[in-house]
């Protein structure tokens, strides 16, 4: 990727994005399926690899601040994948032992590293379209990613406070609002998720089931 193209691309990725809309009514919202969770986990892992790629590229261009920003986005994408895996585990193992988000890292790290290697090969092949496609999609996930990371921080703070003031509530489920997103099909009939409502998309909700 040429420096000029990279500058334009980074500006696009780091652009301010709109928050997730919470305007959908309960009757409009579908259940987040196991298929949705798997797809979203894979997408966030891929985006973590994509941001790793940009971090390495910008660092090689002597842009350490941009590289740090990309690394933070990569970590946020991984955290979003871990959140979804933790939520899925909590829903399917309601009577089982609780697991930390970090315990799911091996399920994300391998795919993250594979995507980073793939994108390096894409760069060698000068496939600008493939890089742009990945960037556009990862940008569309950013509002969802930001909401999930914010929710994780809030839940952690709430649990820490409850553990200090009311130890008996330390393992209580968080009282968080569901996160609203949209499941759509792109021009290639691939499933994509976005924070922006669009005609033909299905509204779904992410609700933490109490994992920590």
């Amino acid at each position: 990727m040429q420096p000029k193209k990279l500058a334009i691309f980074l500006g696009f990725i780091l652009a301010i994005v709109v928050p997730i809309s919470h305007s959908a009514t309960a009757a409009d919202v579908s259940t987040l399926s196991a298929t949705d969770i798997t797809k979203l986990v894979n997408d966030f892992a891929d985006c973590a690899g994509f941001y790793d790629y940009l971090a390495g590229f910008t660092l090689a261009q002597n842009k350490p601040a941009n590289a740090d920003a990309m690394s933070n986005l990569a970590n946020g994408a991984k955290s979003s994948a871990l959140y979804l895996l933790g939520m899925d585990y909590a829903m399917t193992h309601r009577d089982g032992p609780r697991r930390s988000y970090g315990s799911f890292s091996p399920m994300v790290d391998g795919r993250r590293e594979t995507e980073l290697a793939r994108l390096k090969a894409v760069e060698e092949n000068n496939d600008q379209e493939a890089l742009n496609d990945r960037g556009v999609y990862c940008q569309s996930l950013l509002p969802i990613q930001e909401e999930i990371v914010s929710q994780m921080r809030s839940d952690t703070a709430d649990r820490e406070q409850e553990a200090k003031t009311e130890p008996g509530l330390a393992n209580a489920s968080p009282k968080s609002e569901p996160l609203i997103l949209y499941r759509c099909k792109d021009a290639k009939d691939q499933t994509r998720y976005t924070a922006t409502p669009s005609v033909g998309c299905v509204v779904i909700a992410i609700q933490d089931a109490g994992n920590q």
Side-chain angles (χ1 to χ4, degrees):
M1 192 186 300
Q2 297 175 357
K4 183 177 181 181
K5 290 182 178 179
L6 175 66
I8 296 172
F9 189 62
L10 285 177
F12 177 66
I13 290 295
L14 292 172
I16 297 175
V17 289
V18 296
I20 292 176
S21 169
H22 291 276
S23 59
T25 65
D28 297 327
V29 179
S30 298
T31 303
L32 187 71
S33 69
T35 300
D36 288 321
I37 292 174
T38 299
K39 180 70 170 60
L40 276 166
V41 167
N42 289 341
D43 287 348
F44 279 123
D46 286 344
C47 286
F50 172 72
Y51 294 129
D52 285 336
Y53 164 78
L54 286 183
F57 194 97
T58 52
L59 190 60
Q61 295 292 324
N62 197 28
K63 297 180 183 295
N66 282 337
D68 286 345
M70 292 299 105
S71 292
N72 288 336
L73 288 177
N75 292 333
K78 176 182 175 177
S79 294
S80 297
L82 296 180
Y83 178 93
L84 291 166
L85 288 168
M87 182 194 70
D88 183 53
Y89 176 84
M91 289 192 299
T92 55
H93 298 78
R94 294 186 181 277
D95 297 324
R98 299 177 73 86
R99 291 180 58 179
S100 67
Y101 290 122
S103 68
F104 298 100
S105 285
M107 301 174 67
V108 178
D109 291 340
R111 187 173 180 109
R112 176 180 180 175
E113 293 166 3
T114 298
E115 179 65 5
L116 173 59
R118 186 189 75 85
L119 291 173
K120 289 179 178 179
V122 166
E123 180 188 356
E124 287 182 0
N125 295 329
N126 199 29
D127 190 349
Q128 186 70 42
E129 182 178 357
L131 289 172
N132 286 341
D133 286 346
R134 174 60 68 196
V136 168
Y137 183 47
C138 289
Q139 190 203 29
S140 76
L141 290 177
L142 272 178
I144 302 170
Q145 176 176 318
E146 291 169 356
E147 288 277 350
I148 289 176
V149 171
S150 176
Q151 188 63 64
M152 290 176 72
R153 290 171 178 162
S154 177
D155 290 347
T156 299
D158 288 347
R159 290 183 179 118
E160 289 177 350
Q161 183 62 31
E162 287 173 348
K164 292 178 181 178
T165 59
E166 300 181 69
L169 296 179
N171 291 323
S173 297
K175 308 173 185 63
S176 57
E177 293 294 323
L179 309 181
I180 304 300
L181 63 152
Y182 302 85
R183 184 202 304 126
C184 312
K185 292 287 187 178
D186 65 11
K188 298 178 182 178
D189 202 36
Q190 298 293 311
T191 299
R192 293 288 184 263
Y193 299 87
T194 178
T196 306
S198 181
V199 175
C201 295
V202 177
V203 187
I204 56 178
I206 299 175
Q207 176 67 64
D208 186 357
N211 197 67
Q212 66 175 6

